[in-house]
Amino acid sequence: MPSLSDKGLDGARVDMAMARRRPLTIQKTLTASCLEVDTEESFSSSLPRFGPVEVLLSASRADEDIRVVGRLTTLGWLTCSRCLEEFEWPLEVSVDRLYRIGHDPSFLVRESQMVNDVVFLKDGFLSVVRLVSEELILALPMVPLCDTECRGLCISCGENLNQGVCNCAGVEGNNPFDILKSCPIVG
């Protein structure tokens, strides 16, 4: 089975026509600086940092499509949603995608579109960087937590409650939910 390593990948683009003829192995280490993120500026600031990404993929013919399967392994640094501390997050992502060379009959304008789980590649080249970037973003947790038992921050003084009990007296008064204390509980 032919293999493309770091030296064989010119700009991390793979000619998928090669995979139609015979199975192909793609093995590469990508640095976080080369990952592509097409987002609004406000969203990109909330993305985690990633270490080097180990990529091991195989591409082979699947009827008229090309199936790309494999694994991505990296270490990310996320910010906990409760205590706002950064924590390490080991990540291993399984990849299983279908590609088809040519134009998507329903979307001729865009470079690639997914229809019925098939991504159309109008130029016939797979961008490994784009694939890795998309898979890592899709694998991010909606609410990253450093620990399931994370106690978060004190709502009065902002002290990290995982590091001990805060000594503040708390804020009395203007809490919009205080009215709920006077409601009778039925049940």
Side-chain angles (χ1 to χ4, degrees):
M1 180 182 302
S3 176
L4 296 177
S5 62
D6 288 332
K7 292 180 181 176
L9 280 174
D10 182 23
R13 287 174 43 93
V14 178
D15 184 355
M16 295 305 277
M18 291 172 48
R20 293 182 96 170
R21 292 189 291 273
R22 61 186 183 276
L24 182 66
T25 299
I26 303 163
Q27 188 170 2
K28 182 161 183 66
T29 300
L30 296 176
T31 60
S33 62
C34 74
L35 297 178
E36 295 177 356
V37 181
D38 256 349
T39 63
E40 293 179 19
E41 209 170 293
S42 60
F43 177 71
S44 63
S45 65
S46 66
L47 290 174
R49 293 182 300 119
F50 288 107
V53 183
E54 296 296 324
V55 178
L56 180 57
L57 302 170
S58 64
S60 59
R61 188 178 191 137
D63 296 324
E64 62 183 285
D65 301 324
I66 300 163
R67 172 163 255 130
V68 175
V69 296
R71 187 161 306 286
L72 311 174
T73 309
T74 189
L75 184 63
W77 289 268
L78 281 72
T79 302
C80 179
S81 294
R82 291 183 188 162
C83 68
L84 305 180
E85 294 289 328
E86 189 174 68
F87 65 97
E88 284 187 0
W89 184 58
L91 179 61
E92 192 167 304
V93 179
S94 294
V95 176
D96 189 355
R97 290 201 181 185
L98 286 175
Y99 291 92
R100 188 171 299 160
I101 297 173
H103 292 282
D104 181 344
S106 58
F107 297 99
L108 294 176
V109 180
R110 303 229 12 207
E111 178 182 327
S112 65
Q113 270 302 323
M114 187 176 282
V115 177
N116 298 328
D117 297 328
V118 175
V119 178
F120 288 82
L121 302 170
K122 75 176 185 179
D123 65 356
F125 285 88
L126 169 67
S127 168
V128 176
V129 171
R130 175 170 234 125
L131 167 70
V132 169
S133 301
E134 289 172 357
E135 290 291 340
L136 290 179
I137 289 172
L138 290 171
L140 292 175
M142 294 289 286
V143 180
L145 295 176
C146 61
D147 188 311
T148 56
E149 301 298 318
C150 178
R151 297 180 60 214
L153 302 175
C154 172
I155 60 170
S156 299
C157 68
E159 182 74 28
N160 185 340
L161 298 176
N162 296 316
Q163 297 172 353
V165 180
C166 69
N167 296 322
C168 76
V171 175
E172 296 294 324
N174 262 352
N175 184 341
F177 298 104
D178 282 342
I179 189 94
L180 296 175
K181 293 178 183 175
S182 63
C183 294
I185 298 175
V186 179

